[in-house]
Amino acid sequence: MTVFKYFLKIALKNKWIIIMYISIFFVMTLLNSTDAMKREEAFEETRLNIGIIDKSNSELSSSLKDYLKEKNNIVATKEDEEYIKEQIFLEIADAVIIIPEDFTERVIEKEEAIIIYKDDRKPHSIQIENQINKFLAFANITYQNGQFALGDVKEALKENTQVHVLSKSGFFENSSIETWFRYYFNFTGYVILAVYIAIIGIVMSDFRDERIDNRRKISSKKLLEFNKEIYLGQLTLAIAVTSVFIIASILLMGRYIGHIYYIKYLINLMVFSLSILCLTFLINNITRNKHVITTLSTVLSLGSSFISGVMVPQELLGEKVLLVAKFFPVYYFVRINDAVINSLSEVAFELFMQVLFAVAFLLLGLMFSKKAQRI
Amino acid sequence: MVVKVKNVVKRYEEKIALDHFNMEVNEGEILGLLGPNGCGKTTAINCILSLLKFDKGEIQVFGRKMTPNSYDIKRQIGLVPQEVSVFENLTVKENIDYFCGLYIDDKNTRRQYVEEAIEFVGLKDYVRFYPRKLSGGLKRRLNIACGIVHKPKLIFLDEPTVAVDAQSRNFILEGIKKLNREGSTVIYTTHYLEEAEMLCNRIIIMDNGKDIASGTIEELKAMITTLEKIVVRFVNIEDEVINKMYKIPHVIDIERNGEDFIIKFENGINNLSNLLSFIAEYNLTYIKLYSQLPTLNDVFLELTGKELRD
Amino acid sequence: MNIIRNYIYQGKNLFRDGTFLFWAMVYPIILAFFFNLAFSSMMNVNFDDIQVGIEENNYIFPILEEIEFINIHKITQDQVDEKLFNEEIDAFVDSDLHLTVKKSGIRQTIIKEVVEQIKQTVKLNRPIDGTEFSVNYVAGKNQESNSVIIIFYSLIAMVSTYGVFAGIETASLMQANLSNLGLRINATPLKKQNFLIAGVIVSLLLNLLANTGLLLFINYVLKIHLFTNIAYSLIFIILGNLLGVILGIFIGVSNKKSPNVKTAIAISLTLFLSFLSGMMGPWIKAIIEKYAPFLNRINPISIITNNLYRINLLGNTKSLGEGIAVLLIYSMVLLIGSYVFLRRKSYDSI
């Protein structure tokens, strides 16, 4: 077990890099999942901060204002384009609308009747447009003989649709907790990719300096034996990294674990870790250039996470993107985390795919390793 | 005096690298700094060049105190470091030109110097090569070229022949002699005895950070008590006769190495004929007999109690 | 000393290193490609097959049937649970026009909006011809933009600081205790400040070249037009470059850790700051704005991202002073710090 022992020794020498990587990525994971939990409040329209400048002062404009006030917070503003843009930039206001003097006429003519400045950085800001369009459409429907029936509009808009989230075996009683775990583990997927490739790569490139490698080639150690011990070393390192994230999830949210299907996340993360470990093994057999390895760590992890639904939910991604994403194990990992299931058999396919990736990476890795036997 | 080092002490956390080290280099000589690996040769050079801080002592180069900002002194110095220190992504010629340009401003002079240096180290066929494509010996030659291209008055060569094939080694050693003939003072560190003997006018022997002896080769050899060794093998000899050999004039010791006897003499005159008369007197038959004059290794062995070879 | 010559050789040395070139040029382009893949599709995602379960006798059944992007599934009350869990339907509409769903998502939100509007229209009880709801009464005053662009500003901000790697490289060449070459160069009469300035300028130029490559790629290949005010945008990109290079030199000279450690520090630092500036989703920036707004004003990557946004999308070039000042202060402090480390020119150990 010399190889294994020295692999760990070199890993230990690099402990500060490893600790630094893990802690920075951990902070990112935590910020991301905590934020997601707060963000995803199902079916509740977010109250936005909006500014209104009413130059029309008509009946229609004031009832529109009343309607918007019900659903949003009003902030003071003034009619100066630069001022408004600055307000939005500084996120004092999510949107500012200007109601022009000829507002009523324009509405009746079904023309653009309101000027809006909104914060494009926030997807929510679109809802203010929807609210205005809906209100004015309703108002126009009631327009008859030069009169709006604004009272009726108000009454009608009070109607709402309630949403009942189906819960089975109580999993969904606490949907924001579920959200936290989902985002936490999805993001952990990105971290595992980035950290495994980076730190195992660093240790490996220290370990397999070309000259040392040639020495190994002529030693009596069998290639398979050598690979086995190397793999064991990498596995140990990988387990250490993954454990940090599992243990942290238990420490932080342990009291809720009973309410969710925790074992799903656990098994999924383990299977995913395995497939990424095999990917790392493959990468290390293809190149020992440190620049390439650090680049791959960033490009592969960020790139495949982006298109697989770690940063942006899968349902928001187009079909073509997901088609590309299917060639990366992260896709299947995220699908399992996102799925609502009662037993693991429901995600057997996704688990199987990850294992398949693991086997493919491993075999390719062994192939390259064998090829590298001859210079 | 080109370099003067007086009582320099350099301590690393774990050990003393230079322990009241002294050294003087005269203009026009090749000074050998001889000692086993790890004895402080490179540390001494780095201290002289003021790359390293030292704890005590005084160093002068060209009669002035050396500091990191002594650019005018640095201008007259060339360094050939122990490790090959060149830009991996510049070609042979570009590397030499780069380092030349750090000393020589005039374009034409520089072009001429670069050509001469390439010629000098025999890398004419390799000017467009990148260092990684060169063999170990050629890399060392490039390393040397980068250090001497500006024709410095004082050249430090730190073990330039380590891991170099015989052909390149001779090439390098001849080159150093040539540099010296052209007027450069050379400080040459090595742990190879033969090189020091062949190359250097004067030698300082170092061990454990101390200068334990210095002088010309003859002076060094004169310091030790054994000045001649005669190795002889007899067909048949009795112990009694061996004891009588101690009576031969100037014999100080007799060692037995297998069937060989090594007879040590305290001076170097007439020992062989004295031994031959002894052999004739006792009617002995020998099958081999030869005389060895002392080498630097003997000097080193006697001064430090250990062999220099590693 | 011929300084220009020095620049050229240092440039050649950095530039010929294939992996370095890859790192500087190709890597941001690959990332931009992935970003674009993910985010552009996100913007034109169409939900044309939302599956709605409904009982046949529900009075809005015919209305829903008319809506193109909704697929109707006739089901009975007792099938609801099963169909939801098998994900055959996204939501079930009951007779009171309330919804039952299994999870919350965009599809469910869309169904809710639709059903709610039908409910409100019914309540209003006026004749409609169906065209009323397609009128747009709102005129947007923003320049053409979406959150993809913000992500790209963040990406550009991040890669503008990638001069950090060239900086680390330069630092290692300068220090006798870091590399063999550094030792040799220290023994020559080359003044350190000359080498430092040459290093900064060469790294700056190289990284700017790489940035230009990225910008051209975004503009001509991805066809995303990010800049309306090139001059002011360039100020921030160049300041980002300057900060990156100097940060690299600072990381390089301030410690004796291995190049691995230094690169790792640089990568994780820039990645983390980019994360905080919203590169992995703009909401992170929003949450920081809410709880620690100060962070966004001192995070250099946020400063660059925000100002690129402000300059190009808001057309505001008046209040750039603070950002420029903060970036310059960082650069100055790091430069002075590096100089302090460099000034100790004899080393304790090599």
Side-chain angles (χ1 to χ4, degrees), chain A residues 114 118 120 152 166 295 298, chain C residues 23 27 101 119 126 139 142 145:
Chain A
I114 279 184
K118 64 181 202 301
D120 291 307
D152 288 359
L166 195 61
T295 308
T298 320
Chain C
W23 180 253
Y27 160 60
V101 298
K119 207 172 173 183
R126 300 281 153 95
N142 298 40
S145 76

Side-chain angles (χ1 to χ4, degrees), chain B residues 180-220:
Chain B
N180 181 245
R181 280 199 299 276
E182 286 169 7
S184 299
T185 307
V186 175
I187 297 174
Y188 186 91
T189 79
T190 183
H191 64 272
Y192 294 119
L193 292 156
E194 304 82 354
E195 278 186 10
E197 283 205 69
M198 178 185 146
L199 196 67
C200 302
N201 310 117
R202 218 155 54 77
I203 286 169
I204 294 178
I205 295 180
M206 274 187 89
D207 192 39
N208 287 327
K210 289 189 195 126
D211 51 311
I212 50 177
S214 81
T216 61
I217 290 160
E218 285 66 35
E219 284 168 349
L220 286 173

Side-chain angles (χ1 to χ4, degrees), chain A residues 110-344:
Chain A
K110 297 188 178 174
E111 287 171 356
E112 290 183 341
I114 279 184
I115 294 161
I116 188 166
Y117 298 89
K118 64 181 202 301
D119 192 340
D120 291 307
R121 292 169 292 185
K122 295 175 184 159
H124 285 308
S125 62
I126 189 94
Q127 80 186 35
I128 191 79
E129 280 186 57
N130 293 341
Q131 288 166 0
I132 293 169
N133 277 330
K134 189 161 152 189
F135 179 88
L136 294 179
F138 271 69
N140 245 348
I141 290 169
T142 67
Y143 184 71
Q144 230 171 7
N145 308 325
Q147 284 292 322
F148 293 103
L150 294 171
D152 288 359
V153 173
K154 197 178 168 188
E155 278 308 305
L157 289 176
K158 273 186 187 158
E159 287 288 318
N160 67 13
T161 294
Q162 279 160 19
V163 179
H164 169 62
V165 181
L166 195 61
S167 82
K168 206 166 176 181
S169 24
F171 290 155
F172 252 98
E173 273 166 7
N174 212 331
S175 107
S176 67
I177 295 300
E178 187 77 47
T179 305
W180 188 90
F181 277 98
R182 215 177 82 204
Y183 275 80
Y184 180 88
F185 279 96
N186 275 348
F187 204 83
T188 301
Y190 158 66
V191 175
I192 297 263
L193 246 172
V195 172
Y196 274 22
I197 298 176
I199 65 176
I200 293 178
I202 286 170
V203 177
M204 281 304 289
S205 70
D206 263 12
F207 192 75
R208 285 181 61 183
D209 179 79
E210 195 164 357
R211 277 159 289 184
I212 300 177
D213 214 36
N214 283 342
R215 195 165 271 184
R216 192 261 312 160
K217 278 177 196 164
I218 56 156
S219 80
S220 60
K221 193 120 192 146
K222 281 198 188 107
L223 177 66
L224 198 66
E225 196 66 23
F226 176 82
N227 270 327
K228 223 165 70 191
E229 286 189 33
I230 279 285
Y231 197 77
L232 210 59
Q234 297 185 352
L235 184 69
T236 314
L237 206 55
I239 288 174
V241 175
T242 301
S243 304
V244 169
F245 284 84
I246 291 174
I247 291 168
S249 81
I250 295 172
L251 287 180
L252 289 165
M253 289 285 172
R255 58 189 181 282
Y256 300 111
I257 280 177
H259 300 289
I260 59 156
Y261 194 21
Y262 187 70
I263 207 83
K264 173 190 85 172
Y265 296 109
L266 202 61
I267 302 265
N268 191 22
L269 185 63
M270 286 174 178
V271 172
F272 179 72
S273 298
L274 180 77
S275 77
I276 299 309
L277 184 61
C278 294
L279 173 65
T280 311
F281 181 76
L282 168 62
I283 290 174
N284 282 312
N285 272 313
I286 295 176
T287 177
R288 43 168 93 79
N289 185 312
K290 291 178 193 185
H291 271 304
V292 175
I293 287 173
T294 32
T295 308
L296 276 180
S297 149
T298 320
V299 170
L300 263 186
S301 61
L302 263 181
S304 69
S305 300
F306 256 113
I307 62 168
S308 299
V310 171
M311 281 88 186
V312 185
Q314 275 188 359
E315 57 179 359
L316 285 183
L317 296 167
E319 266 173 43
K320 277 181 201 150
V321 181
L322 291 180
L323 204 65
V324 179
K326 281 178 184 159
F327 291 95
F328 297 93
V330 204
Y331 171 79
Y332 303 94
F333 173 71
V334 171
R335 267 184 73 88
I336 295 179
N337 287 337
D338 286 355
V340 181
I341 54 166
N342 293 305
S343 90
L344 283 173

Side-chain angles (χ1 to χ4, degrees), chain C residues 50-56 58 60-61 64 70-77 79-80 83-84 88-95 98-100 111 115:
Chain C
I50 297 174
Q51 314 296 333
V52 178
I54 191 166
E55 283 173 307
E56 201 171 1
N58 195 314
I60 69 162
F61 186 95
L64 287 184
I70 288 179
N71 265 359
I72 297 278
H73 294 251
K74 283 179 237 173
I75 59 171
T76 55
Q77 191 77 46
Q79 291 176 299
V80 173
K83 296 266 183 193
L84 278 173
E88 285 173 46
I89 56 172
D90 296 310
F92 173 75
V93 184
D94 67 17
S95 51
H98 294 311
L99 293 187
T100 306
I111 300 171
V115 174

Side-chain angles (χ1 to χ4, degrees), chain C residues 10-24:
Chain C
Q10 280 190 38
K12 275 187 183 172
N13 185 51
L14 273 179
F15 197 71
R16 281 204 194 132
D17 186 338
T19 56
F20 183 83
L21 204 64
F22 179 82
W23 180 253

Side-chain angles (χ1 to χ4, degrees), chain C residues 123-190:
Chain C
K123 172 81 178 177
L124 196 63
N125 196 19
R126 300 281 153 95
I128 57 167
D129 61 14
T131 62
E132 287 85 351
F133 292 108
S134 57
V135 180
N136 182 21
Y137 295 97
V138 182
K141 279 292 274 186
N142 298 40
Q143 261 127 10
E144 177 213 357
S145 76
N146 50 44
S147 58
V148 180
I149 285 195
I150 291 135
I151 303 267
F152 274 103
Y153 287 137
S154 215
L155 178 67
I156 289 169
M158 179 170 92
V159 300
S160 77
T161 62
Y162 270 12
V164 71
F165 301 107
I168 291 175
E169 197 96 340
T170 303
S172 112
L173 288 186
M174 259 187 317
Q175 293 280 73
N177 57 353
L178 295 182
S179 65
N180 294 328
L181 207 50
L183 180 114
R184 175 165 234 163
I185 286 170
N186 266 272
T188 72
L190 174 62

